[in-house]
């Protein structure tokens, strides 16, 4: 096979082997001479150079093709130089010409060999490509339509006809090999995972080895604390892994779990040692440390301090990992160990089959824990507290820490028991109440959350108690509240419907509370029981930790009970007004009587006389007793704080903004926006106002009943004639007058025996004012006849009798009496002052018509028994009817002088009107 003519190598060889042309040689010679010899002189006489430079130029001439640039050769030297070069080149050409044919033959042979080898390799390449394409097609998981199309392509039929066919096959082979690449990638990924697993296995091996080395008994000599260096190595390894690996890796959780179990194993070993040492002390029974042998005490103290040292090491390594809530049961390691026997005993007695496990007696379980706290407090404070302080836990109170670790025991009991009590409201309410009582006992025992290890050097806040934790569980609080509400409402219904509900109790406010708050008010039985019921509810929820737990009891139980009782009293007053003739002019026939179970009931007997008055007094006493209780509660610290906390709790005010029984000053819904709540505002303000209005209404009804009945009796008497001439016969008092005074005395006696003196005084003044006005209008100004001097004396005697019966009735419950007033339990009842105006009128009506006479007392001593009563009441005067007439229509000076002489306090108009009632009046 011949080489191609256009081969660059052959062309180069041919070009080099041809001799140069004569013209080219001539041109090169001319160029050389022109560059080295500028003129003929330079060619014929070259400049000589120094000897030093000759040696240097000589060495340089051997390495350059032309003459030296520093020393110019002459013509002869130049010709000699090139002749030598020609001979040398001719010899080299001859030698080359001899070896060239053989070199060309060898080269051609080698090229033929290489070309044959290249063709064979090309054929093998295409064959391997075809085999690879078939292999990829066979190994592919799914057939490739492109491959089938490539098999039918006419290019494939012309496999040996061109290079384009081979490129198409290569492309098809690459397309078919994609599935193999994917498999290779999968295998590569699997290999990476296996390598990572191998690396993790090696890491886990190190972790497990360090963990086993830490828990190996051979590393615990002389105690388990000797294994702490091994644990430190484990901790350092885990820390390095946490620094370089993402925390969400599952295997990191495994490593942390191994580390945690290792630490817990160390803790359990030391805890077992402490419990063994506690057996010599008699724990968990009461420990008398002084009686324990010295060696046993040293063993216990060493085990106790070892656990504290372990906890200190744990804090240094792990940091202070404090739980989020106190109920986690985490605390000082030695106390956690010592609580275990107590917990086992508790579960045996109160969570097992023993008779002490009774759902109706939760107080037994609470008492057991309280006993543990009380029995061990001396041992804890006197011995364990110094040991703990020396270990570096100076701010921790061992008693509070011990109490804290006992609380989860009770929480476990409550969480397992309460779900079974949800269908039994009474048991549920009792259990939660006992929980609240226990919380109060723990607080009173000096428990402080800030003095425990989980709140060391940080603010712990107020302890919410077991009740605070339990009431957050699901709907337990709502069901407890519903049960308490139902119980309270049933109690209220029993109180109101009791036959003795409105009977007056013998005990008074001052006897019950010892504070003389209501001035001796005697309550009805229902009022006393309602007040006790409200206080009972307060005792049940007062210890609750949060305002959100307290408010529902107040708003859904206590205030509605007070409102219901108020409605009941108000309803009884409404019925009284409807049935009593003192308040309606005509009573319908159907209301005149009533029949129950075949027994006729006369309603008028229930609303008149002493019975009717006592009913009104009972309503007043009931309302007054409750309102005094609410005033006392308003000043109680608990309700003061409750009102203040609610006023400041803006986050929950919206929830109770529409509560009708809460005052606007507390809800923050006052008329003026931004007005702060009053500091003296109380949650009972609205109900206090309603009960006050109720008692005022009852007082008005009492006055109305007394005055109407007395005026009805007095009505016929006031129609008598006052202008009859004097008679020598002794006149008997009018039966109507006696009847009215009897009714009046009976009512006053009833009032003074059942009501406080201050109230009696207020009611007495109102009653007398009504009677005075009635007597004046019906007996003085609108009488059947005018007055004579004798008639005036009769009227004056009647006024004295009214005053006397008043004094007798009011003094029935008093030991001291005076002519113008008397003292009842320290409160003055001004008997005489109430009748002063009518006495002044009587003084004017009794003025003599004739000459002035000095009298010891105008109109005094007319009837027996009245002399002493009137001697001090009516001063001696010297005045006549004519002088009174002149003074009444005279100037101010004369009028004032006359009134001072007579001792009366009447205006000019009143004096003139009274004088006109005398028959002698000429104006």
């Amino acid at each position: 096979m011949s080489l191609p003519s256009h081969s660059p190598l052959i062309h180069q060889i041919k070009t080099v082997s041809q001799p140069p042309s004569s013209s080219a040689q001539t041109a090169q010679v001319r160029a050389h001479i022109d560059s080295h010899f500028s003129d003929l002189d330079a060619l014929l006489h070259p400049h000589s150079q120094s000897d030093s430079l000759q040696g240097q130029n000589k060495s340089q001439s051997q390495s350059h093709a032309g003459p030296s640039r520093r020393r110019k050769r002459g013509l002869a030297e130049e010709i000699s130089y090139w002749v030598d070069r020609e001979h040398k080149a001719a010899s080299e050409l001859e030698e080359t010409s001899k070896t060239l044919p053989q070199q060309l033959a060898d080269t051609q042979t080698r090229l033929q060999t290489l070309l044959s080898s290249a063709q064979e390799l090309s054929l093998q390449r295409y064959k391997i490509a075809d085999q690879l394409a078939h292999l990829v097609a066979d190994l592919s998981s799914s057939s490739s339509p492109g491959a089938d199309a490539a098999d039918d392509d006419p290019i494939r039929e012309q496999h040996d006809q061109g290079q384009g066919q081979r490129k198409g096959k290569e492309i098809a082979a690459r397309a078919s090999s994609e599935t193999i690449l994917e498999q290779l990638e999968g295998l590569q990924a699997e290999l990476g995972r296996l390598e990572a697993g191998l690396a993790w296995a090696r890491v886990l091996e190190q972790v497990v080895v360090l963990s086993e080395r830490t828990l190996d008994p051979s590393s615990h000599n002389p105690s388990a604390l000797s294994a702490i260096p091994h644990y430190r190595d484990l901790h350092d390894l885990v820390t390095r892994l946490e620094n370089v690996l993402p925390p969400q890796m599952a295997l990191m959780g495994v490593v942390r779990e191994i580390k945690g179990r290792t630490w817990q194993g160390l803790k359990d070993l030391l805890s077992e040692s402490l419990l063994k040492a506690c057996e010599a002390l008699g724990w968990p029974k009461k420990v008398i440390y002084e009686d324990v042998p010295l060696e046993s005490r040293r063993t216990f103290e060493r085990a106790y301090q070892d656990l504290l040292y372990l906890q200190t090491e744990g804090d240094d390594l792990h940091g202070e990992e404090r739980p989020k809530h106190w109920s986690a049961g985490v605390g000082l390691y030695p106390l956690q160990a010592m609580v275990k026997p107590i917990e086992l005993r508790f579960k045996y007695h109160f969570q097992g089959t023993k008779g002490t496990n009774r759902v109706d007696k939760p107080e037994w379980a609470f008492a057991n824990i309280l006993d543990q706290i009380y029995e061990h407090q001396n041992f804890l404070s006197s011995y364990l507290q110094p040991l703990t302080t020396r270990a570096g836990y100076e701010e921790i109170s061992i008693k509070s820490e011990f109490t804290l670790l006992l609380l989860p025991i009770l929480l476990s009991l409550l969480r397992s028991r309460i779900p079974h009590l949800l269908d039994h409201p009474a048991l549920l309410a009792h259990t939660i109440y006992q929980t609240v009582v226990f919380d109060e006992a723990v607080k009173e025992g000096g428990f402080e959350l800030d003095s425990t290890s989980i709140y060391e050097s940080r603010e712990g806040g107020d302890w919410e108690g077991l009740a605070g934790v339990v009431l957050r569980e699901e709907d337990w609080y709502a069901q407890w509240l519903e049960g308490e509400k139902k119980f309270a409402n049933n109690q209220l219904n029993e109180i109101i419907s009791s036959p003795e509900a409105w009977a007056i109790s013998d005990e008074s406010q001052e006897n019950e509370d010892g504070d003389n708050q209501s001035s001796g008010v005697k309550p009805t039985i229902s009022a006393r029981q309602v007040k006790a019921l409200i206080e009972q509810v307060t005792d049940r929820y007062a210890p609750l930790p949060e305002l959100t737990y307290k408010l529902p009891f107040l708003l859904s139980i206590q205030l509605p009970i007070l409102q219901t009782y108020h409605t009941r009293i108000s309803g009884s007053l409404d019925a009284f007004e409807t049935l009593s003739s003192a308040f309606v002019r005509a009573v319908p026939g159907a209301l005149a009587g009533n029949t129950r179970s075949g027994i006729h009931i006369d309603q008028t007997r229930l609303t008149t006389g002493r019975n009717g008055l006592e009913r009104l007094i009972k309503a007043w006493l009931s309302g007054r007793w409750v309102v005094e209780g609410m005033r006392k509660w308003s000043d109680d610290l608990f309700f003061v704080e409750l009102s203040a906390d609610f006023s400041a709790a803006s986050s929950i005010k919206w929830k109770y903004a529409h509560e009708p029984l809460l005052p606007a000053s507390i809800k923050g819904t006052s008329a003026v926006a931004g007005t702060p709540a009053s500091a003296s505002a109380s949650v009972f303000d609205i109900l206090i106002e309603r009960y006050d209005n109720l008692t005022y209404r009852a007082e008005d009804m009492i006055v109305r009943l007394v005055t109407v009945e007395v005026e009805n009796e007095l009505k016929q008497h006031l129609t008598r004639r006052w202008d009859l001439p004097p008679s020598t016969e002794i006149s008997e008092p009018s039966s109507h007058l006696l009847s009215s005074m009897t009714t009046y005395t009976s009512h006053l006696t009833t009032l003074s025996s059942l009501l406080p003196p201050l109230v009696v005084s207020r009611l007495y003044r109102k009653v007398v004012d009504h009677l005075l006005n009635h007597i004046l209008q019906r007996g003085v100004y609108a009488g059947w006849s005018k007055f004579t001097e004798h008639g005036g004396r009769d009227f004056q005697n009647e006024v004295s009798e009214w005053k006397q019966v008043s004094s007798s009735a009011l003094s029935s419950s008093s030991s001291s009496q005076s002519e113008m007033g008397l003292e009842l339990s320290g409160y003055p009842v001004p008997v005489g002052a109430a009748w002063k105006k009518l006495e002044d009128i009587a003084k004017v009506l009794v003025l003599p018509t004739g000459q002035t006479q000095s009298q010891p007392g105008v109109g005094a001593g007319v009837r027996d028994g009245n002399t002493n009563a009137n001697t001090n009441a009516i001063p001696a005067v010297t005045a006549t009817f004519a002088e009174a007439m002149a003074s009444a229509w005279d100037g101010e000076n004369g009028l004032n002088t006359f009134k001072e002489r007579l001792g009366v306090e009447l205006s000019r108009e009143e004096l003139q009107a009274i004088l006109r009632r005398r028959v002698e009046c000429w104006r």
Side-chain angles (χ1 to χ4, degrees):
M1 184 176 178
S2 61
L3 290 171
S5 60
H6 60 274
S7 175
L9 180 60
I10 300 301
H11 177 71
Q12 184 180 5
I13 293 173
K14 289 181 177 182
T15 303
V16 173
S17 63
Q18 291 179 359
S21 62
S22 58
S23 59
Q25 291 178 353
T26 303
Q28 289 181 356
V29 170
R30 183 180 289 128
H32 178 76
I33 292 173
D34 289 341
S35 61
H36 287 84
F37 304 100
S38 59
D39 53 18
L40 184 60
D41 291 335
L43 178 63
L44 297 178
H45 305 286
H47 296 286
S48 61
Q49 305 295 331
S50 63
D51 295 336
S52 60
L53 292 176
Q54 287 178 358
Q56 183 177 1
N57 291 336
K58 184 177 181 180
S59 62
Q60 289 180 353
S61 65
Q62 297 176 358
S63 59
H64 291 279
S68 173
R69 293 182 179 180
R70 296 197 178 192
R71 179 179 179 275
K72 303 295 184 179
R73 292 190 294 265
L75 179 61
E77 291 176 346
E78 189 71 22
I79 293 172
S80 176
Y81 170 76
W82 286 110
V83 169
D84 292 338
R85 290 288 302 272
E86 181 182 6
H87 289 309
K88 185 177 181 181
S91 63
E92 290 178 355
L93 176 61
E94 182 181 359
E95 183 178 356
T96 301
S97 298
K98 290 179 181 180
T99 60
L100 180 60
Q102 184 64 33
Q103 292 290 335
L104 290 176
D106 294 343
T107 301
Q108 187 175 7
T109 302
R110 292 176 62 188
L111 288 175
Q112 290 291 343
T113 304
L114 292 174
L115 181 60
S116 299
S117 177
Q119 289 178 346
E120 291 177 359
L121 290 175
S122 178
L123 291 175
Q124 291 179 2
R125 172 176 171 270
Y126 291 131
K127 184 178 179 180
I128 292 174
D130 290 340
Q131 292 177 355
L132 180 60
H134 288 292
L135 181 61
V136 169
D138 293 340
L139 295 178
S140 177
S141 60
S142 61
S143 62
S144 175
D148 297 337
D151 292 339
D152 298 335
D153 200 311
I155 299 176
R156 189 169 184 82
E157 297 176 358
Q158 303 174 0
H159 176 272
D160 298 328
Q161 296 181 3
Q163 191 174 359
Q165 294 174 328
R166 292 190 292 272
K167 291 182 179 179
K169 293 173 64 177
E170 292 175 1
I171 294 173
R174 286 196 298 269
S176 300
S177 64
E178 289 181 358
T179 303
I180 290 295
L181 293 177
E182 291 177 357
Q183 293 179 3
L184 289 175
E185 290 176 356
L187 293 174
Q188 184 72 21
E190 182 66 21
L191 179 60
R193 287 193 293 270
L194 292 175
E195 291 176 350
L198 180 60
W200 263 110
R202 292 171 180 168
V203 171
L204 287 176
E205 181 183 10
Q206 297 179 25
V207 172
V208 171
V209 167
L210 289 175
S211 176
E212 291 177 349
R213 190 178 301 167
T214 303
L215 299 178
D216 189 357
S218 61
S219 301
H220 302 161
N221 189 18
S223 71
L225 291 178
S226 303
I228 287 181
H230 301 304
Y231 180 81
R232 287 200 188 107
D233 295 338
L234 173 62
H235 174 76
D236 293 340
L237 175 59
V238 175
T239 302
R240 290 196 301 271
L241 293 174
E242 290 175 342
N243 292 333
V244 299
L245 296 176
Q248 64 271 17
M249 290 186 64
L251 288 177
M252 281 302 302
V254 175
V255 171
R256 295 191 189 97
E257 183 180 356
I258 294 175
K259 171 187 169 184
R261 287 204 302 262
T262 305
W263 183 258
Q264 185 63 39
L266 277 178
K267 178 182 173 184
D268 291 342
L269 290 172
L270 292 173
S271 297
E272 291 177 5
S273 300
L274 177 62
L275 289 178
K276 289 181 181 179
C278 287
E279 292 177 359
L281 275 62
W283 184 269
K285 296 180 180 179
K286 185 177 181 179
V287 177
I288 303 177
Y289 203 60
E290 298 82 0
D291 298 341
V292 178
L294 180 60
E295 186 62 28
S296 299
R297 292 170 61 176
R298 288 177 177 175
T299 303
F300 167 77
E301 292 174 2
R302 188 181 306 111
Y304 186 90
Q305 290 178 331
D306 285 349
L307 268 174
L308 287 178
Y309 179 77
L310 180 69
Q311 187 163 15
T312 304
E313 286 292 322
D315 293 341
D316 293 339
L317 293 174
H318 310 144
E320 295 184 359
E321 299 176 353
R322 301 180 182 180
K324 295 182 178 179
H325 198 263
W326 55 264
S327 60
V330 177
L332 293 180
Y333 286 177
L335 288 185
Q336 284 183 253
M338 296 175 70
V339 164
K340 290 296 181 183
I342 299 176
E343 182 179 4
L344 292 176
R345 285 194 173 194
F346 182 88
K347 290 182 178 180
Y348 174 74
H349 285 287
F350 302 105
Q351 292 181 272
T353 58
K354 294 288 291 182
T356 50
N357 183 14
R358 293 179 54 178
V359 294
D360 60 331
K361 295 293 184 180
E363 56 269 23
W364 291 356
F366 291 118
N368 179 270
I369 298 299
L370 289 175
D371 290 344
Q372 295 292 335
I373 298 173
Y374 177 76
E375 287 181 357
H376 299 305
Q377 62 180 351
N378 184 45
F379 172 62
L380 296 171
S381 302
S382 301
Y383 299 100
L384 296 190
Q385 185 69 55
L387 287 175
T388 307
T389 302
R390 286 198 297 270
Y393 296 93
E394 299 88 355
E395 299 180 0
I396 296 178
S397 169
I398 289 299
K399 181 181 177 182
S400 296
E401 186 79 6
F402 181 70
T403 304
L404 179 71
L405 294 174
L406 291 177
L407 297 179
I409 301 175
L410 285 172
L411 275 178
S412 176
L413 172 68
L414 293 173
R415 284 171 173 158
S416 62
R417 179 176 290 182
I418 289 181
H420 302 288
L421 303 179
L422 296 179
D423 296 331
H424 305 278
L427 291 177
L428 176 64
H430 180 62
T431 301
I432 297 181
Y433 174 70
Q434 291 299 326
T435 305
V436 173
V437 172
F438 172 82
D439 292 341
E440 281 296 294
V442 171
K443 291 178 182 177
E444 292 175 358
F447 174 71
E448 295 180 357
L449 200 59
D450 293 341
S451 300
T452 59
S453 60
I454 62 175
Y455 290 103
E456 184 183 9
S457 301
R458 68 174 180 173
E459 189 68 26
D462 295 333
W463 182 56
E464 59 185 340
L466 298 181
V469 178
V470 169
L471 295 179
R472 284 199 306 267
E473 298 284 344
E474 299 177 359
D475 59 343
W476 294 356
Y477 173 75
Q479 296 204 34
W480 174 45
L481 179 64
E482 185 63 28
E484 291 286 352
K485 182 178 180 180
K486 184 176 180 181
F487 172 78
N489 290 335
N490 291 338
Q491 288 290 104
L492 179 64
N493 292 332
E494 292 179 4
I495 291 172
I496 294 177
S497 58
S498 172
E500 299 180 351
W502 307 105
I504 299 177
S505 176
D506 292 335
E507 57 184 316
S508 63
Q509 182 87 16
E510 56 188 357
N511 292 332
E512 185 184 68
D513 299 335
D515 56 0
N516 198 26
Q517 185 175 352
S518 289
S519 305
V521 173
K522 294 182 178 181
T524 59
I525 294 178
S526 63
R528 178 172 52 81
Q529 292 176 343
V530 166
K531 180 173 177 287
L533 177 61
I534 297 297
E535 293 175 343
Q536 178 183 355
V537 174
T538 301
D539 293 338
R540 298 180 79 85
Y541 78 88
L544 293 179
E546 298 179 11
L547 181 65
T548 53
Y549 296 142
K550 299 176 183 178
L551 273 180
F553 276 86
L554 175 71
L555 299 179
S556 63
I557 298 179
Q558 290 182 307
L559 297 186
I561 287 177
L562 294 172
Q563 178 60 35
T564 300
Y565 192 63
H566 173 275
T567 304
R568 178 67 177 83
I569 299 173
S570 180
S572 66
L573 295 181
D574 293 339
F576 193 94
E577 287 182 337
T578 302
L579 300 175
S580 175
S581 59
F583 299 94
V584 292
R585 292 184 178 274
V587 180
L591 298 178
N594 191 14
T595 303
R596 294 180 182 176
S597 302
I599 302 176
H600 179 75
I601 300 176
D602 188 4
Q603 298 285 5
T604 58
R605 296 184 57 188
L606 301 178
T607 58
T608 58
R610 182 181 178 89
N611 291 333
L613 181 62
E614 286 184 353
R615 287 180 178 274
L616 295 178
I617 291 175
K618 290 174 182 179
W620 185 91
L621 290 173
S622 300
R624 183 60 177 271
W625 181 267
V626 174
V627 76
E628 290 295 336
M630 285 191 290
R631 286 197 174 95
K632 179 184 176 183
W633 299 331
S634 298
D635 296 333
D636 186 78
L637 180 61
F638 169 73
F639 285 105
V640 171
E641 292 179 349
L642 182 66
S643 302
D645 292 344
F646 182 70
S647 298
S650 57
S651 59
I652 62 174
K653 279 188 177 181
W654 62 270
K655 188 176 180 181
Y656 305 103
H658 301 290
E659 286 291 337
L661 298 180
L662 277 179
S665 57
I666 291 183
K667 292 188 295 185
T669 57
S670 56
V672 181
T675 302
S678 174
S680 60
S682 170
V683 292
F684 298 104
D685 284 350
I686 290 181
L687 285 173
I688 288 176
E689 181 180 359
R690 293 182 181 181
Y691 270 88
D692 281 338
N693 294 334
L694 183 68
T695 56
Y696 296 150
R697 179 187 177 191
E699 288 184 10
D700 293 340
M701 293 180 67
I702 290 173
V703 173
R704 176 68 175 169
L705 178 67
V706 172
T707 55
V708 166
E709 293 191 353
V710 173
E711 289 169 359
N712 288 338
E713 297 289 342
L714 193 61
K715 184 177 181 180
Q716 187 65 31
H717 171 71
L718 294 180
T719 60
R720 61 164 290 181
R721 296 182 64 87
W722 302 97
D723 56 352
L724 296 177
S727 175
T728 57
E729 298 180 359
I730 300 175
S731 60
E732 295 294 333
S734 169
S735 60
H736 298 290
L737 177 62
L738 294 178
S739 177
S740 62
M741 287 186 174
T742 301
T743 301
Y744 173 74
T745 303
S746 174
H747 287 331
L748 282 187
T749 303
T750 302
L751 291 176
S752 62
S753 62
L754 298 178
L755 295 178
L758 190 61
V759 180
V760 172
S761 175
R762 182 168 62 249
L763 294 177
Y764 170 73
R765 288 194 299 270
K766 292 181 179 180
V767 169
V768 172
D769 287 342
H770 276 274
L771 290 178
L772 287 178
N773 184 65
H774 181 75
I775 293 173
L776 287 176
Q777 298 300 325
R778 298 296 183 90
V780 177
Y781 296 120
W784 291 96
S785 62
K786 292 187 176 183
F787 286 83
T788 62
E789 181 182 350
H790 178 70
R793 287 197 180 92
D794 289 342
F795 180 77
Q796 188 179 45
N797 292 334
E798 289 185 9
V799 172
S800 299
E801 289 175 355
W802 282 111
K803 183 177 176 181
Q804 182 181 7
V805 297
S806 298
S807 178
S808 300
L810 294 177
S811 63
S812 60
S813 59
S814 175
S815 58
S816 61
Q817 166 179 314
S818 63
E819 187 174 6
M820 294 300 297
L822 61 149
E823 293 284 326
L824 293 178
S825 302
Y827 294 97
V829 180
V831 178
W835 297 95
K836 180 67 169 59
K837 185 173 182 179
L838 204 59
E839 287 182 318
D840 291 345
I841 293 174
K843 288 180 181 180
V844 176
L845 292 175
V846 81
L847 288 175
T849 306
Q851 297 296 325
T852 301
Q853 298 179 358
S854 178
Q855 304 174 13
V858 179
V862 176
R863 289 197 175 121
D864 295 338
N866 293 343
T867 303
N868 295 334
N870 294 327
T871 300
N872 297 329
I874 305 175
V877 296
T878 54
T880 63
F881 181 77
E883 293 175 348
M885 290 289 295
S887 300
W889 277 271
D890 197 359
E892 289 295 331
N893 294 332
L895 177 63
N896 293 334
T897 302
F898 176 76
K899 289 194 294 183
E900 290 177 1
R901 289 174 56 194
L902 194 60
V904 297
E905 297 179 1
L906 299 171
S907 64
R908 182 185 296 275
E909 291 74 14
E910 290 176 336
L911 181 59
Q912 291 176 356
I914 295 170
L915 290 174
R916 286 194 177 100
R917 298 302 300 161
R918 287 286 293 265
V919 295
E920 300 93 337
C921 182
W922 58 85
R923 304 192 66 159

